[in-house]
Amino acid sequence: MDALVVWFTNNLGDYISREALVFIISLMPILECRGGLLAASLLEVPITTAIPICVIGNILPIPFILLLIRKVLQLMKKIPVLDKFAYWLEAKAEKRQGSIENAEFVGLLLFVGIPLPGTGAWTGSLIAALLELDFKKAIVAELIGVALATVIMSIVSYGLLGAIIG
């Protein structure tokens, strides 16, 4: 993930504002809020500016994924070039659904909120949609999860951990 963030900041940083770049990175699957905060720290965007940009960028796709992903996957399966990708996405979600399925709300919240590879709002939304979790519960769990991930990544990305510990 770090390499992707560095690539985006190095290659797009001269063409769009720092804040717009942080927002775009926060919108992207895999990178999400974690990548946005890392980019913000690299681009020296103040943390008070970076946090709202990253959170908004990260939560913006959630309702669309929850509402539309099942239909999109069904359409993708009918297109020979995209069918393998659709099955791969479903397999990825099924592989991770155990961490959410049993505790639904808390499981989804922690899955989105603990910044580990393969977790986050995009994957959490995909799993929630495939498990047919209640839309409102899923939204609230993911919003809290994004807030938790933001706190954790702010501490890591802005070096606050070192200031607190040392």
Side-chain angles (χ1 to χ4, degrees):
M1 177 180 73
D2 295 353
L4 279 172
V5 171
V6 170
W7 185 88
F8 277 109
T9 57
N10 288 340
N11 291 293
L12 297 177
D14 294 335
Y15 303 104
I16 58 176
S17 72
R18 299 175 309 162
E19 292 81 3
L21 183 55
V22 168
F23 179 76
I24 290 168
I25 290 172
S26 297
L27 278 170
M28 298 175 136
I30 301 170
L31 299 179
E32 302 187 27
C33 193
R34 294 168 271 220
L37 284 166
L38 181 58
S41 69
L42 293 173
L43 295 167
E44 298 179 3
V45 175
I47 193 169
T48 54
T49 304
I51 287 175
I53 292 171
C54 291
V55 169
I56 292 167
N58 199 189
I59 64 173
L60 197 60
I62 292 172
F64 298 103
I65 297 167
L66 288 171
L67 293 171
L68 302 173
I69 194 66
R70 294 172 62 91
K71 292 175 185 166
V72 170
L73 288 174
Q74 291 306 316
L75 288 172
M76 289 172 66
K77 288 178 186 177
K78 295 177 183 176
I79 301 170
V81 178
L82 300 175
D83 63 338
K84 289 180 182 171
F85 182 66
Y87 287 112
W88 175 81
L89 272 177
E90 282 185 338
K92 180 180 178 180
E94 287 172 11
K95 184 175 157 184
R96 301 209 183 262
Q97 80 183 36
S99 59
I100 293 175
E101 200 166 33
N102 296 333
E104 284 189 3
F105 184 85
V106 174
L108 183 58
L109 184 154
L110 293 174
F111 184 86
V112 172
I114 298 175
L116 296 170
T119 65
W122 278 79
T123 308
S125 296
L126 174 63
I127 295 169
L130 293 176
L131 289 174
E132 299 180 8
L133 298 182
D134 178 69
F135 181 80
K136 289 178 185 175
K137 270 187 182 178
I139 288 282
V140 172
E142 291 196 52
L143 292 177
I144 297 170
V146 167
L148 177 61
T150 301
V151 168
I152 293 169
M153 287 309 298
S154 296
I155 291 169
V156 172
S157 295
Y158 279 85
L160 298 177
L161 187 60
I164 293 169
I165 294 173

